[in-house]
Amino acid sequence: MATMQISLFSASLKREVSIQAILPVDLPEGWGLPAWSGQPLKSLYLLHGFSGSQNDWLNFSRIRELADRHQVAVFMPAGENRFYVNDELREEYYGEYIGRELVDFTRKLFPLSAAREDTWIGGLSMGGYGAIRNGLKYAERFGRIIALSSALIPYRVANIAPDYKDGIASYSYYASVFGDLSQLLGSDKDPEQLVRDVKAQGLALPELYMACGTEDMLLDVNRRFHQFLEGEQAAHYYEEGPGDHNWVYWDKHIEAALSWATSPVVK
């Protein structure tokens, strides 16, 4: 596969940013993997977790091998601990960057399909939340969402007190990311509200793969969102089983998720 680091100027973030990219376009025949057919590639925008970087998926998972196996281009941006949402006060629009600008940029640069069903977004932990949030916010663009151990923390931080601390961050941090925490639920940073918004617009919900380990600290919020989706009769694939909040679990389940996404009939 071809791997590269790309620097680009982001109008949404008002600065130069870097992404990692994988393009399965250079495989010779006879290596046991499908050579590129020359047809436009499916694309996956793959998001890292809290305190991570755009290098994490390359460093800690088999994403290069999986991209080759499934003939999917993978783009890995930096989220900078901002949960991939727009920050109106700082005028840094991470959601717009992920959901619109980066998709447009990569389509201009590489042989990617522009079809919704061929354009996917995924991530782990903070990136799992970012994938759900932006996959729903920009539902007209993304046909698949892959969400592993998702940090669906609006459930936890909405309406918290100013002295709140949870061992990871405090009230001031969450307020800086999500804005007025008393208004978080029901906003476009609330995945439940985004599901309602997509349905109200008459759009088909993106196909959703969710997985979380039974030893994961985020299991409760993943179960809660799964139960909400069931109540909304929103079709999705949900899996939980042995596993913790670590790369052993994420590497296993990004493989399963890509098999799910590329199967002829998505579950």
Side-chain angles (χ1 to χ4, degrees), residues 133-160:
R133 189 271 175 184
N134 291 305
L136 294 170
K137 177 69 175 177
Y138 306 96
E140 74 283 359
R141 296 194 151 213
F142 296 106
R144 308 272 191 275
I145 300 171
I146 296 169
L148 309 181
S149 307
S150 301
L152 293 159
I153 60 169
Y155 287 134
R156 293 186 178 176
V157 304
N159 300 303
I160 57 175

Side-chain angles (χ1 to χ4, degrees), residues 25-256:
V25 296
D26 61 342
L27 289 175
E29 294 183 8
W31 283 33
L33 291 168
W36 181 44
S37 67
Q39 296 299 310
L41 292 164
K42 297 176 174 64
S43 56
L44 170 62
Y45 299 84
L46 192 56
L47 313 181
H48 66 77
F50 186 85
S51 77
S53 78
Q54 68 267 36
N55 301 314
D56 285 5
W57 281 102
L58 283 171
N59 289 338
F60 305 123
S61 80
R62 291 171 297 137
I63 192 61
R64 281 177 277 202
E65 172 196 338
L66 297 170
D68 282 344
R69 185 191 307 172
H70 294 288
Q71 292 288 282
V72 177
V74 183
F75 303 100
M76 294 155 283
E80 301 175 8
N81 288 357
R82 305 307 294 178
F83 275 79
Y84 306 96
V85 296
N86 293 337
D87 185 335
E88 290 82 3
L89 289 178
R90 292 167 47 155
E91 297 186 349
E92 293 180 331
Y93 299 97
Y94 286 90
E96 285 291 305
Y97 167 57
I98 298 297
R100 295 192 191 280
E101 187 177 14
L102 186 58
V103 173
D104 290 342
F105 174 83
T106 51
R107 284 178 177 173
K108 291 176 183 175
L109 202 60
F110 299 111
L112 306 180
S113 170
R116 181 186 188 234
E117 62 268 23
D118 295 336
T119 307
W120 312 335
I121 187 169
L124 66 88
S125 195
M126 179 184 80
Y129 164 83
I132 291 172
R133 189 271 175 184
N134 291 305
L136 294 170
K137 177 69 175 177
Y138 306 96
E140 74 283 359
R141 296 194 151 213
F142 296 106
R144 308 272 191 275
I145 300 171
I146 296 169
L148 309 181
S149 307
S150 301
L152 293 159
I153 60 169
Y155 287 134
R156 293 186 178 176
V157 304
N159 300 303
I160 57 175
D163 62 351
Y164 177 89
K165 292 184 179 180
D166 62 10
I168 295 175
S170 64
Y171 173 90
S172 60
Y173 167 75
Y174 291 119
S176 75
V177 171
F178 294 105
D180 184 347
L181 298 177
S182 69
Q183 303 296 316
L184 177 53
L185 298 183
S187 75
D188 72 352
K189 297 172 185 176
D190 172 8
E192 289 192 6
Q193 184 59 45
L194 288 166
V195 169
R196 297 186 190 100
D197 291 345
V198 173
K199 292 173 71 174
Q201 294 166 29
L203 294 173
L205 288 165
E207 300 283 352
L208 173 59
Y209 178 104
M210 290 182 66
C212 192
T214 50
E215 288 69 54
D216 197 300
M217 59 185 176
L218 294 168
L219 180 61
D220 61 325
V221 292
N222 281 265
R223 283 178 171 172
R224 182 169 170 178
F225 189 57
H226 163 57
Q227 290 163 1
F228 165 78
L229 292 172
E230 288 194 319
E232 289 288 311
Q233 298 183 324
H236 63 290
Y237 178 82
Y238 177 79
E239 180 176 338
E240 63 178 62
D244 210 331
H245 202 75
N246 58 36
W247 281 101
V248 174
Y249 186 84
W250 300 324
D251 190 43
K252 175 183 176 181
H253 283 277
I254 192 61
E255 179 178 19

